[in-house]
Amino acid sequence: MKVLLVDDHAILLDGIKSLLSQEASIDVIGEANSAEQALELLKTKAVDLLITDFNLPGMDGLSLVRLVKKISPNIKIIVLSMHDETHLVKEILREGVEGYVLKNDSHIELKLAIEYVREGKIYLSNNINRIIINSLNFPDEDRLLTDREREILKLIAKEYSNKDIAEQLFISERTVETHRKNIFRKTKTGTLVGLIKFAYANNLI
């Protein structure tokens, strides 16, 4: 099974590659640290399985999934991510990925996911299954924005910069930028003015 890995953390890429190299039936034929680089590799390499993070520089993992499903529908996709927000998990699953595993899940989960996908099955790790079941039991948890995103949205409305927000919430600027991208995507707005109008109209701030 020819596998392409996509993640912008070199240490994580090396770890996954080392893990998969123990499997005789798996051949890691390429690594990319961005969605754009992955798309370039897909033009020249035959790939059976794409394993990608969601949080990538430039184009995010969800956009990559959509493009790959459109361009090469036969390629199987497993999302390996730290993101466990209910809304985002469901949004990614709707795009028809074959697997979703959290980065804090065990290596066994990732190996199981690959085995399931190879057999034409869908694999969701135990934690992802728990999130989906929880959203059925507590539908209010499946709201548009997470508590953290609403918190950041309120600061954006006050014209705080990414740096200001990061200092206020004790998180990194990169994390703030990821949340901003998610907020714009979820609200389907493309400008700050449009975002603020949407926020007020939907009682988000």
Side-chain angles (χ1 to χ4, degrees):
M1 195 175 202
K2 294 180 173 61
V3 178
L4 174 61
L5 304 177
V6 189
D7 198 296
D8 63 328
H9 293 91
I11 293 174
L12 191 82
L13 275 179
D14 288 343
I16 299 171
K17 189 175 180 181
S18 175
L19 176 73
L20 299 185
S21 67
Q22 300 167 18
E23 304 293 323
S25 59
I26 296 174
D27 181 17
V28 177
I29 52 88
E31 303 161 45
N33 54 30
S34 70
E36 291 82 358
Q37 188 180 356
L39 290 169
E40 285 301 312
L41 286 171
L42 287 174
K43 291 178 182 177
T44 58
K45 293 181 179 290
V47 174
D48 300 312
L49 173 63
L50 176 75
I51 300 177
T52 182
D53 189 5
F54 167 77
N55 190 18
L56 297 168
M59 183 192 300
D60 64 31
L62 181 58
S63 300
L64 174 61
V65 166
R66 286 173 176 153
L67 273 173
V68 172
K69 285 295 181 184
K70 186 177 180 180
I71 298 166
S72 306
N74 291 331
I75 294 178
K76 308 295 185 185
I77 301 176
I78 293 174
V79 173
L80 178 64
S81 177
M82 60 178 278
H83 289 279
D84 60 358
E85 300 94 329
T86 305
H87 188 276
L88 182 58
V89 168
K90 287 187 171 183
E91 194 171 354
I92 290 173
L93 293 179
R94 284 190 195 104
E95 296 303 321
V97 299
E98 281 71 28
Y100 199 129
V101 180
L102 293 176
K103 285 185 176 178
N104 60 6
D105 288 327
S106 70
H107 285 164
I108 294 171
E109 291 261 29
L110 180 56
K111 285 186 174 181
L112 272 173
I114 293 171
E115 197 55 44
Y116 268 61
V117 169
R118 189 207 305 275
E119 295 172 2
K121 302 174 186 175
I122 304 293
Y123 186 86
L124 305 179
S125 71
N126 285 333
N127 284 324
I128 294 297
N129 274 316
R130 194 174 296 117
I131 290 165
I132 299 300
I133 292 168
N134 191 58
S135 75
L136 296 175
N137 293 330
F138 304 99
D140 287 345
E141 294 297 313
D142 192 21
R143 55 192 182 277
L144 181 63
L145 299 182
T146 65
D147 289 340
R148 177 62 94 188
E149 287 165 349
R150 287 172 73 111
E151 202 173 8
I152 288 172
L153 178 55
K154 288 174 184 175
L155 295 177
I156 291 173
K158 292 179 181 177
E159 299 185 1
Y160 277 46
S161 67
N162 282 2
K163 187 173 184 294
D164 294 333
I165 295 172
E167 289 174 356
Q168 178 86 10
L169 301 179
F170 302 103
I171 56 179
S172 71
E173 284 188 57
R174 178 172 174 178
T175 299
V176 175
E177 182 57 35
T178 298
H179 282 305
R180 283 182 76 112
K181 284 182 183 179
N182 289 343
I183 291 166
F184 276 106
R185 191 189 72 255
K186 288 180 179 180
T187 57
K188 296 181 171 62
T189 55
T191 65
L192 186 56
V193 173
L195 175 62
I196 301 306
K197 283 183 179 177
F198 181 94
Y200 277 112
N202 290 274
N203 298 315
L204 294 174
I205 55 176

